Amino acid sequence: MDAADRATDGWEPTLAAALLGAERAPPSQPGPLSALVAESDPAGALLARLAAEGAHHLAGTGLGPEALAPAEPREAVGSECPPAAATRLYGLLTEGHGARGRVEEWFALAAASGLRPPAWLFQALMLHRDSLPATAPDVVGAELDWLARACGEAPAETREAADWTEGTVTERRAAFAAFRARDPEGARAALEPVFRKEKADIREALVHALATGLSPADEPFLEACLDDRAGGVRLAAQRLLPGLPGSRYAGRMAARARAALTIESKRRLLGGTTHTLVVTLPEEAPELARDGVEVNAWERRGGGARAGLLRAILARAPLHAFAEHPPRLWIELALRSEWADPVFHGLFSAAKRTRDPAWTKAMADITAEAYEGKVTGVRRTNEVLGMWAEALDLLPDAEWEARVGALIRARKIEVVLAVLGQGPEHFSDGFSAGLLDWLAFVTRGSDALRRDLAKPWVIARLGDRLWPSDDNAAAAAALLARLPEGEGDRLRTQLAGLTGVLDLRAAIRRDFQPETTTGRTAQG
Amino acid sequence: MSLTTAQILDLAPDASSRKAGQDQAKPQKWAGLGRVGTVIWGEIKGSGASPYRTVADLAGPASKCTCPSRKFPCKHGLGLMLVDAASAIADGEPPDWAAAWMKGRESRAAAAETRAKEPAKPVDERAQAKRRQAREDRVGAALDELDLWLRDLMRRGLAAARGEPYAFWDRMAGRLVDGQAPGLARRVRALPGLAAAAPRPGAPRPEAALGLGLGRLALLLRAARRLDALSPEQAAGVRAALGYPVTAEEMAARPDHADTWAVLAHAVEEEDRLTARSVWLVGRASGALAQVIDYGTAGSPLPPAPAAGQDFSGALAFQPGDPPLRAVFREGRAGPAAQAVIPGAASVAAARDSFAETLARAPWLERWPVRLSRVRLGRLAAAASGGRTDSKTGSLPAFAAGDETGCLALGADPRLPSLLAVAAGRPVDLFGLYDGYGLHPLALVTGGHLYAMPAQGAQPVLLQVA
């Protein structure tokens, strides 16, 4: 770094002498600068030498052109995003963890429009590299790799086709899952011979990894896992087996479900049939425990320990066990029965696992009718409302929006508030506009309506889910502006949260639309 | 005229007000927005009972707000300017309070002008001469003491001095402050830091840094003893380095240097309880370099100055010194940059020659601005750093800038990767301070844009300012 080795430079010997001190240093060698030193006192002379040589040395330092290894030129891959979008991204990055969702949105938009962040942001992105969303490598990965190389960092190792037989538990699980995704049959075939020699935690992790590419061919192996020494392995197998409707496990569960629930039909005198649901609560048994159905001693919800067993059995049973009657009938009778809660929730879990359209639709229909009081023998309770909201959540997003949209138009406030807690992550544009209209209607209503609106604390979270168009953001802002003065803080805080988030999301989108920006500058 | 968002954010006194200012930059939060010329105003609801009234002058940039924040500019001032930067605020009739502020500013400026024009109060020549003599005597005594102390250090050797506690250096610095030589005191106080610093790329080894620092002190001491032998400009430079203030009469007599001065960068440093802001300018016609330093404290904020990337069309007055660098603003106004270039940029060899020439004229200088033209950035090749230095630099990457005539190491700075990223491996123009070992970059021109290091904080970005 310093050109101290050059023969003409007297700096290093002088510095060495100064470090030793005038009392111990050897007398100076005559040099080109020694004529400048006229002091008689040895300390003064050394100081003068140090000063003269130092200035001389500083004026002559420097390196030749060969000392520089210039960074390789970076080729621009795509066009840069508008400056407003870049500033926005930097602001979001400095905001930290709270803005991660927005950073993700930013990168999704950038990926969609094929734009890339400008170079002045690369280092900031590099510092946040570990927390960037999954879409970031497509948007800025090449640039960050280039910068890492230019800064002399070792290139990130690419661990493709890692060996699943070696490493830590997480590494092996990830590698095995990748193997399984490439070749499900081969992966299981490779696992079976060595499985018994592995330690319990590894066995557990590997059985969990079988969830990728699960097929009926895995059934014998998983069935064997039910008798494994380790509880974790048994648990993993019990989790996976209900997903295979043709398995022995599913057959056992179907038989138990049929034993527990039967529908008795009586022909009435004047035509038509009455159906009653006969529930036989199951007994605790070792075979049940082997299949993962055990008594929870602390179970209080829904009728006690044996009702808990019933719910667990129904939840693990394949839906074909109930094929002899239509789903509608099962659910209606379940709601009416003495054991409504365990039976409904058991069937609900079974339907949730497979997302069977007939069952989910039937559930949503019946619970809706039940809450509206159209099913005889079922009272309108909050439990039924909760079941309705859960059942709606199983529907596809479009179907959910259609049904909730109808509820909104019907101004069913308590129902809408209950179902808004669940449902799709992101709403469509049309549904968002309808929802905002409804919010405007409710906030302009009576005090009691506003209190109801504020109570379940669902409004604030809507900001993340509404469609982030400028119109919607403006509608939300108008909501807040028109909120009557003196309104309690609860609703105002929630609406302010909604407006803030929605505004930011709309602004991020606006940043990416260069037409409007350039249009404005052209005018101004 | 308008400022870009990045420039406004750089005005923020710290990171939290930068973020808070961005939060206030939503037009819907503001009421009664309006503008007359470069002055904009608006009202915003804060935590106080009545809305805060904020008014800002973009030409300053300056701002005033009725909020109780002691930060300057406050988040509302920043927010107001950001609102204008996002989309220009429409013209309007100023409310009383905004008009009063504008009027107050005008009358204050006018008062300062009349004060400057007023004939100076009659001075008691004899008392002044007596005071001056007393100061000369005290400085002379302090110089003697420093000389003795330096010789003592050399007798014992620097290896022994490196083990001394901070109090050892601080005591000598304190005596120099008492002796009314604050410039020397600052240099002495910096020595323990040099001796104790970890080895870094682009900097001399700690013992060499200490030796060089002592050498500069000795040279300054010698020059101060022989002021009569120096030319008046050189003598003034030495006196400034010792810490003599430049009087208002002296400055009033200095000639104007009219030019279009390109503001390349701002650099803000905290010097015990003071905020020192350097504005670096280069004359577009003359190619002359100038550094305008302003001091601010918690109570009195920094005076407004043209932002990096702007052009200051008008006159500067240089303080006496050789070579001239320190200057103050005179008449003139700030406007958008004519062209994003670094006037007077030259090759590495030429920059090194001019640095050597500067050292020949004032060998006690610590740093000097250099301008490099079409240099490429990269790392120091392993062969160049050599086995010995390489082991000392440890894992820190050693960056450098160079062309076919040579290269300069870059001083360690956490923001260097940003510089590299913006340069993208292509030749760029670079402006920075050189200390003989490392170049500390402040601004960079590439692709027709000027990028400046953020003046405050360690933001890992560069600002595109023009």
Side-chain angles (χ1 to χ4, degrees):
Chain A
M1 183 143 317
D2 43 302
D5 307 330
R6 272 186 267 167
T8 52
D9 195 298
W11 167 243
E12 284 294 325
T14 311
L15 180 62
L19 281 172
L20 284 176
E23 283 166 356
R24 285 180 287 171
S28 68
Q29 302 296 317
L33 296 180
S34 46
L36 290 172
V37 180
E39 328 268 321
S40 50
D41 163 36
L46 184 55
L47 184 62
R49 250 175 76 206
L50 183 72
E53 291 285 1
H56 182 245
H57 171 68
L58 271 186
T61 54
L63 303 162
E66 73 290 342
L68 176 75
E72 54 182 304
R74 175 171 61 82
E75 300 307 328
V77 187
S79 43
E80 273 185 18
C81 65
T87 315
R88 178 85 56 190
L89 176 59
Y90 182 52
L92 294 175
L93 286 176
T94 47
E95 216 162 302
H97 190 79
R100 268 175 91 157
R102 301 290 90 77
V103 173
E104 207 173 315
E105 234 171 314
W106 194 99
F107 275 104
L109 283 167
S113 53
L115 297 174
R116 314 182 77 88
W120 62 266
L121 267 174
F122 290 171
Q123 194 191 353
L125 287 167
M126 189 97 135
L127 294 176
H128 291 89
R129 196 167 192 179
D130 294 338
S131 59
L132 288 183
T135 42
D138 296 337
V139 178
V140 75
E143 284 91 340
L144 293 191
D145 287 343
W146 172 85
L147 185 58
R149 273 201 308 282
C151 293
E153 283 172 27
E157 299 160 42
T158 46
R159 299 179 55 90
E160 49 189 296
D163 187 4
W164 66 274
T165 54
E166 278 173 1
T168 65
V169 177
T170 30
E171 280 169 10
R172 293 186 60 182
R173 181 177 173 167
F176 186 70
F179 184 17
R180 177 94 175 149
R182 285 194 306 276
D183 176 11
E185 277 302 300
R188 199 197 62 250
L191 174 64
E192 272 172 297
V194 294
F195 187 70
R196 291 181 62 81
K197 291 177 207 139
E198 296 289 357
K199 285 187 176 159
D201 53 344
I202 301 276
R203 286 206 307 274
E204 184 185 338
L206 294 177
V207 173
H208 273 299
L210 285 177
T212 12
L214 189 67
S215 73
D218 300 321
E219 197 263 339
F221 176 69
L222 288 174
E223 184 70 33
C225 285
L226 287 178
D227 297 318
D228 197 276
R229 293 191 304 279
V233 179
R234 295 199 297 269
L235 205 63
Q238 287 157 7
R239 285 240 177 94
L240 291 181
L241 277 169
L244 300 171
S247 62
R248 279 169 278 171
Y249 180 95
R252 289 195 298 274
M253 283 296 172
R256 285 169 194 149
R258 274 194 289 266
L261 293 189
T262 45
I263 293 182
E264 284 183 359
S265 311
K266 276 187 201 153
R267 201 163 273 283
R268 272 205 222 146
L269 212 60
L270 303 165
T273 345
T274 46
H275 302 282
T276 38
L277 185 69
V278 181
V279 179
T280 322
L281 289 182
E283 294 282 353
E284 213 177 320
E287 305 86 67
L288 266 182
R290 175 175 180 261
D291 287 349
V293 180
E294 278 176 290
V295 171
N296 263 344
W298 55 91
E299 177 75 63
R300 291 284 174 274
R301 194 170 53 119
R306 286 174 66 195
L309 290 181
L310 174 63
R311 183 172 54 232
I313 287 173
L314 293 179
R316 287 165 171 79
L319 285 174
H320 64 67
F322 312 106
E324 54 191 280
H325 295 286
R328 243 192 104 83
L329 183 63
W330 282 108
I331 299 157
E332 195 179 326
L333 291 177
L335 285 181
R336 249 186 239 156
S337 92
E338 189 190 353
W339 304 102
D341 186 80
V343 177
F344 178 83
H345 280 111
L347 292 174
F348 180 82
S349 306
K352 186 175 181 178
R353 196 178 56 237
T354 51
R355 301 246 164 191
D356 180 86
W359 276 87
T360 50
K361 193 166 170 312
M363 288 208 165
D365 286 343
I366 306 266
T367 46
E369 284 165 27
Y371 190 69
E372 281 158 19
K374 289 180 195 158
V375 179
T376 46
V378 181
R379 290 196 302 137
R380 296 183 54 184
T381 55
N382 279 338
E383 283 78 53
V384 178
L385 182 56
M387 289 175 188
W388 188 6
E390 284 174 3
L392 280 176
D393 193 31
L394 290 189
L395 295 172
D397 290 355
E399 177 80 16
W400 187 93
E401 286 191 351
R403 288 184 181 226
V404 178
L407 289 173
I408 286 174
R409 281 189 294 283
R411 307 288 192 221
K412 293 189 188 294
I413 291 175
E414 86 282 7
V415 183
V416 175
L417 282 174
V419 300
L420 277 182
Q422 296 167 54
E425 251 337 271
H426 298 288
F427 297 146
S428 71
D429 195 4
F431 181 78
S432 303
L435 187 57
L436 282 166
D437 278 352
W438 174 78
L439 280 176
F441 163 77
V442 177
T443 48
R444 279 201 301 274
S446 66
D447 284 350
L449 276 182
R450 280 196 291 276
R451 254 200 312 283
D452 288 347
L453 190 61
K455 211 170 176 184
W457 214 269
V458 292
I459 308 294
R461 275 174 292 162
L462 291 180
D464 289 317
R465 300 165 73 189
L466 288 166
W467 182 265
S469 71
D470 285 350
D471 290 347
N472 285 344
L479 266 184
L480 187 59
R482 293 218 195 106
L483 198 63
E485 206 53 53
E487 180 57 47
D489 274 348
R490 289 177 63 158
L491 187 55
R492 191 174 290 280
T493 329
Q494 294 185 56
L495 276 178
L498 182 154
T499 314
V501 174
L502 196 59
D503 243 14
L504 178 58
R505 295 178 60 210
I508 294 174
R509 271 161 186 76
R510 252 193 329 270
D511 291 340
F512 273 99
Q513 287 158 0
E515 312 86 67
T516 54
T517 333
T518 47
R520 195 184 295 154
T521 16
Q523 285 160 19
Chain B
M1 76 144 279
S2 66
L3 299 171
T4 67
T5 308
Q7 284 169 326
I8 295 167
L9 288 180
D10 201 35
L11 296 174
D14 51 41
S16 65
S17 35
R18 197 175 305 126
K19 181 169 164 344
Q22 279 172 298
D23 289 344
Q24 312 302 319
K26 292 167 186 153
Q28 60 265 32
K29 287 197 172 185
W30 291 86
L33 289 170
R35 78 148 63 219
V36 167
T38 60
V39 180
I40 52 177
W41 62 84
E43 294 188 30
I44 186 164
K45 181 84 185 77
S47 51
S50 52
Y52 299 133
R53 294 165 163 182
T54 313
V55 53
D57 186 353
L58 298 169
S63 69
K64 164 97 178 97
C65 183
T66 55
C67 76
S69 167
R70 270 182 284 175
K71 289 180 179 173
F72 185 85
C74 69
K75 60 182 182 178
H76 307 110
L78 288 172
L80 183 64
M81 289 192 244
L82 287 170
V83 167
D84 182 63
S87 71
I89 294 172
D91 284 335
E93 189 62 33
D96 307 344
W97 48 272
W101 183 74
M102 285 187 260
K103 210 169 194 179
R105 266 168 72 78
E106 275 164 26
S107 61
R108 267 198 301 281
E113 229 164 83
T114 44
R115 239 195 339 271
K117 279 178 191 155
E118 248 168 42
K121 272 183 250 160
V123 269
D124 185 347
E125 294 281 346
R126 269 181 50 209
Q128 209 179 33
K130 204 171 146 194
R131 279 200 298 276
R132 199 176 294 136
Q133 189 53 48
R135 177 162 193 169
E136 298 285 352
D137 291 346
R138 267 201 293 276
V139 171
L143 290 179
D144 287 341
E145 197 170 347
L146 178 63
D147 189 26
L148 197 65
W149 183 76
L150 284 176
R151 283 167 193 264
D152 186 46
L153 267 186
M154 296 315 291
R155 196 169 294 115
R156 289 163 53 213
L158 299 188
R162 282 185 72 189
E164 294 284 358
Y166 181 71
F168 167 79
W169 311 91
D170 194 46
R171 200 176 309 129
M172 187 63 220
R175 300 195 68 84
L176 289 170
V177 170
D178 293 345
Q180 291 194 309
L184 290 175
R186 186 185 59 75
R187 283 167 186 255
V188 169
R189 208 164 264 146
L191 289 177
L194 293 178
R200 279 175 306 168
R205 308 188 309 277
E207 65 271 19
L210 179 63
L212 290 168
L214 285 173
R216 282 193 290 259
L217 261 179
L219 288 166
L220 189 55
L221 187 66
R222 239 174 210 236
R225 288 269 175 79
R226 295 203 221 149
L227 281 180
D228 322 335
L230 299 174
S231 74
E233 284 290 301
Q234 276 179 319
V238 173
R239 288 169 62 87
L242 291 181
Y244 280 98
V246 185
T247 61
E249 295 90 69
E250 262 181 288
M251 276 320 289
R254 304 291 296 176
D256 279 356
H257 286 260
D259 202 337
T260 306
W261 297 92
V263 182
L264 293 182
H266 282 202
V268 172
E269 279 173 21
E270 302 289 331
E271 292 177 6
D272 64 8
R273 293 195 296 280
L274 277 183
T275 312
R277 179 191 60 197
S278 299
V279 180
W280 291 97
L281 305 111
V282 183
R284 288 199 188 270
S286 61
L289 284 161
Q291 178 191 23
V292 178
I293 304 184
D294 287 308
Y295 293 95
T297 60
S300 67
L302 287 163
Q310 292 189 321
D311 271 2
F312 176 77
S313 321
L316 297 181
F318 282 92
Q319 292 185 359
D322 182 71
L325 185 67
R326 282 283 298 270
V328 294
F329 288 115
R330 287 245 170 107
E331 287 299 295
R333 47 176 206 83
Q339 199 187 356
V341 292
I342 298 176
S347 69
V348 169
R352 210 181 270 159
D353 287 349
S354 79
F355 179 71
E357 193 193 322
T358 310
L359 273 189
R361 284 157 79 178
W364 47 84
L365 282 176
E366 286 159 306
R367 289 172 168 196
W368 195 253
V370 295
R371 294 162 282 179
L372 302 177
S373 161
R374 302 195 57 72
V375 287
R376 291 187 67 188
L377 302 182
R379 287 189 299 139
L380 279 177
S385 33
R388 183 169 53 96
T389 335
D390 201 35
S391 65
K392 293 198 175 191
T393 54
S395 62
L396 277 175
F399 295 106
D403 58 13
E404 61 281 358
T405 61
C407 74
L408 301 179
L410 295 181
D413 186 309
R415 294 166 295 184
L416 288 181
S418 273
L419 204 71
L420 239 75
V422 170
R426 281 182 274 277
V428 295
D429 291 0
L430 202 60
F431 172 78
L433 303 180
Y434 186 55
D435 61 9
Y437 272 88
L439 175 66
H440 301 265
L442 288 172
L444 168 143
V445 171
T446 178
H449 292 294
L450 173 67
Y451 293 85
M453 286 272 189
Q456 321 228 20
Q459 302 183 67
V461 290
L462 285 191
L463 303 175
Q464 185 187 326
V465 290

